Amino acid sequence: MVKTGKYANDKIIGVRHVQCILCFFCLSLAYAWRVNLSVALVAMSGPSNATEANATLDSSEEAAEFDLFSFTESEKSYMLSSFFWGYIVTQVPGGYIAQRYGAKMLLMVGLVACAILTLLTPLSLKLGGWQALCVVRVLEGLTQGAVHPATHSLLAKWAPANERGMLATICYSGAQFGTIMMLATSGFIADSFAGWPGIFYFGGLCGFVWVLLWWIFAASTPEEHKRITREELKFIEETRSVGKMQDARKMAPTPWGSIFTSMPFLSLLVVHCTHMWGFWTLLTQIPSYMKNIYSIDIKSSSLLSSLPYTVMMILSFFFVWLSKVLQNNKSISTSFNRKFFNTVGHWIPMLSLIGLGYVPQENSVLAVVLLTLTVGISAATYLGFQVNHIDLSPNYAGTLMGITNAAANVMSGLAPLAVGQIVKHPENVSEWRTVFFVAAFFYFIGNLLFVVFGRTEIQKWDTPDMVDEESIEAGLPLAGDKSRQPIPIANGKP
C-alpha cells in the first residue's frame, strides 16, 4: 500500500486510485466478454463461411480438431443481440442494490457468474446449438447489467469532487482496453491448440484472477477499507461532495418523483440516449459503409478494427490532462468543465460524421482517419455527461446511471434498425449521408439540452433533510440557488 500524506495529495497512488484501477480491469473484462462472440463467430463458422473461417484458422487440419458450425445471418444476429436483452433488465435494480448494499459484493457476484457463463459458452453451443448459446448470452447480460451503475455508486463514495472526472475516466477507459485486447488476441488464441473455444476459456479464467484481487483490495466505501490511511480517508470525506453521504442501510426511499421531474436529470437522460444512438451508429454501421463505399473491410483487419478504440483510450487520458489544466484556473467552474468536454465529445463527432459522408471514394485513407478521430474524440464525454450522475446525486448515482444506461441501450438497439430502414442500397452514398445526418442531429440536440439545462450542483432531493441545512451552514451552493457561489478548490483544499 502506498502511504499518503496530508490530504493524500503528496503521492501519486492512493487507495482510491487502486479501486479505480480494479474497476478499469472490471470494465475490461466485461467488454471483452461482450465482444468475444462477434470475433469467435468467424473462427467457429463452418463450410458456409469457409473464407472467414480460413482467415482465422490457418489450415483445415486445425479446423477439423474443433466443432464448426453453419449459421445463417439471422441466427448470428440473434446470438449477437441476445446479450442486450438481459443487459437492459438489470440496470435499474443493479443501481438500487449497489447504493443500498454496496458495490463490492454486487460486482464480485456479477463477474463470477459471468466468468462461469463464459466458460460454459462452447459447451452450450455444442449441446444446444445457437438457441442454447442465446440463453447463455441473455444470462451474461443479466450479470453485467449492474456493472455501470455499481461503478458509478463506487465512484460516488470514493472520488473527491475535483478528481471525479479523472477517476471516472480511469474506470471507464477499461471498456476500450478490453475491446482492444479481445480484437488483438482472439486470432492468436483461435490459431493455438485451444482453438476457438480458447477465446472463451481464456477470458473466463481471467475473470477469476480479477475476482481474487477485487476480494482482497476493494471496498464499497473508504470507511470500510482496512488499509486506507487516516489522511486519505479524511481527504475523501471532506471533498467528495457538498452534502452528507447517507448510511446505505438507513437511506431514505429513492425519490422517484423528484428524479423524473428534475430538468437537470432529464437533460442528462436525453444526452445519454442521443450519445448512444450516434456512438452505436458509428460502431455497428461504419464497417458496412467503409466496405461498400471505399472497399475497405475493417473487420478483416484486427489493426483497423481496434484502431478507433485505441485512439479513444489514448485521447481519454489526454482529456484528463486537459481537464486538470482547466481546473488549475480557479475562474473555470465545474459546470463549464462538464459542458465544455461534452460539447467536444458530441459536436466535433457531429461535424466529422457529416464530413465523412462527403469524402471522395478514391480517398479511403482520409475516410479511415476521419472515422478514427470521430470515435476517439467521443472519449471527452467521460468528463462530461458520463460523470454528471454523481454531480447531481452522490447518494443515488448508481440508480441514476441505471436509468439512463437502460434507456440509452434501448437507443443503441434501435439505431441499427433505423439504418436498415434508411439504407436499402448499401452502395448508394446518399442513403448513408441520411444516416449520418440523423446521427449528427441526435448529437446536436442532446448536447444542446445538456448545455442549457444540465447542472453540476447536488440536487435537493439527493438528501432532502440534510443538504439544505449543511450547505447553508457551510456557505456552499444548492441546486437552483444562484446567490451562493461555490468555494474554489485548489490542490484538493477548499
Side-chain angles (χ1 to χ4, degrees), residues 153 259 302:
S153 180
I259 289 174
S302 60

Side-chain angles (χ1 to χ4, degrees), residues 69-337:
F69 302 87
S70 297
F71 301 118
T72 66
E73 290 302 314
S74 176
E75 290 168 349
K76 288 181 181 179
S77 66
Y78 278 118
M79 287 187 286
L80 291 173
S81 64
S82 56
F83 173 91
F84 295 95
W85 305 345
Y87 184 70
I88 294 173
V89 173
T90 50
Q91 292 285 329
V92 177
Y96 177 81
I97 293 171
Q99 76 187 24
R100 183 68 64 175
Y101 303 104
K104 177 178 180 178
M105 190 58 65
L106 181 61
L107 285 174
M108 187 169 67
V109 171
L111 262 72
V112 166
C114 199
I116 294 172
L117 290 167
T118 301
L119 292 172
L120 293 175
T121 300
L123 181 62
S124 69
L125 188 59
K126 182 177 181 179
L127 297 180
W130 69 270
Q131 296 93 336
L133 187 141
C134 282
V135 172
V136 170
R137 294 289 290 182
V138 170
L139 294 175
E140 286 185 10
L142 288 170
T143 64
Q144 283 200 33
V147 168
H148 279 77
T151 301
H152 249 49
S153 180
L154 192 86
L155 282 167
K157 305 295 191 299
W158 278 94
N162 63 327
E163 294 182 4
R164 197 170 285 159
M166 176 190 71
L167 296 180
T169 300
I170 292 174
C171 293
Y172 288 111
S173 61
Q176 281 70 56
F177 182 76
T179 304
I180 294 166
M181 293 304 296
M182 180 53 62
L183 292 173
T185 62
S186 58
F188 295 104
I189 296 173
D191 282 341
S192 72
F193 68 91
W196 66 261
I199 296 173
F200 301 97
Y201 296 149
F202 181 74
L205 291 175
C206 286
F208 289 103
V209 175
W210 177 87
V211 166
L212 178 62
L213 295 174
W214 181 255
W215 174 257
I216 296 172
F217 296 107
S220 295
T221 67
E223 292 81 0
E224 296 174 12
H225 203 286
K226 298 178 180 178
R227 298 177 180 85
I228 192 170
T229 62
R230 293 180 181 177
E231 292 82 2
E232 185 175 9
L233 177 60
K234 182 179 180 181
F235 169 65
I236 294 172
E237 288 178 334
E238 292 182 355
T239 60
R240 62 185 166 192
S241 64
V242 173
K244 183 176 180 180
M245 299 298 292
Q246 299 185 56
D247 187 315
R249 294 176 178 80
K250 299 178 181 178
M251 285 185 68
T254 303
W256 298 108
S258 298
I259 289 174
F260 283 105
T261 54
S262 167
M263 278 306 298
F265 171 73
L266 292 177
S267 68
L268 173 59
L269 176 64
V270 171
V271 74
H272 198 163
C273 289
T274 57
H275 171 81
M276 290 297 279
W277 180 286
F279 191 70
W280 278 91
T281 295
L282 278 169
L283 295 188
T284 61
Q285 301 304 315
I286 287 299
S288 177
Y289 172 74
M290 299 295 287
K291 184 174 183 179
N292 286 289
I293 303 301
Y294 298 101
S295 301
I296 297 177
D297 191 354
I298 292 178
K299 290 184 177 180
S300 67
S301 169
S302 60
L303 176 62
L304 281 177
S305 296
S306 60
L307 184 60
Y309 300 101
T310 304
V311 172
M312 186 175 180
M313 188 172 72
I314 293 172
L315 285 180
S316 68
F317 290 102
F318 165 75
F319 290 132
V320 165
W321 171 81
L322 182 59
S323 175
K324 298 299 289 184
V325 171
L326 294 176
Q327 274 187 353
N328 289 333
N329 186 339
K330 298 180 182 180
S331 64
I332 294 179
S333 66
T334 301
S335 178
F336 175 86
N337 204 299

Side-chain angles (χ1 to χ4, degrees), residues 338-403:
R338 295 279 185 267
K339 294 176 182 180
F340 170 76
F341 284 104
N342 209 71
T343 300
V344 170
H346 280 83
W347 283 359
I348 291 180
M350 172 191 73
L351 296 174
S352 57
L353 255 181
I354 295 173
L356 185 61
Y358 291 91
V359 174
Q361 288 182 282
E362 61 272 12
N363 200 341
S364 58
V365 174
L366 176 60
V368 171
V369 171
L370 201 56
L371 163 64
T372 302
L373 289 177
T374 302
V375 176
I377 288 173
S378 65
T381 60
Y382 286 142
L383 296 156
F385 83 88
Q386 296 203 47
V387 75
N388 189 233
H389 310 74
I390 308 174
D391 295 330
L392 298 180
S393 177
N395 284 305
Y396 300 104
T399 296
L400 299 190
M401 172 54 90
I403 296 170

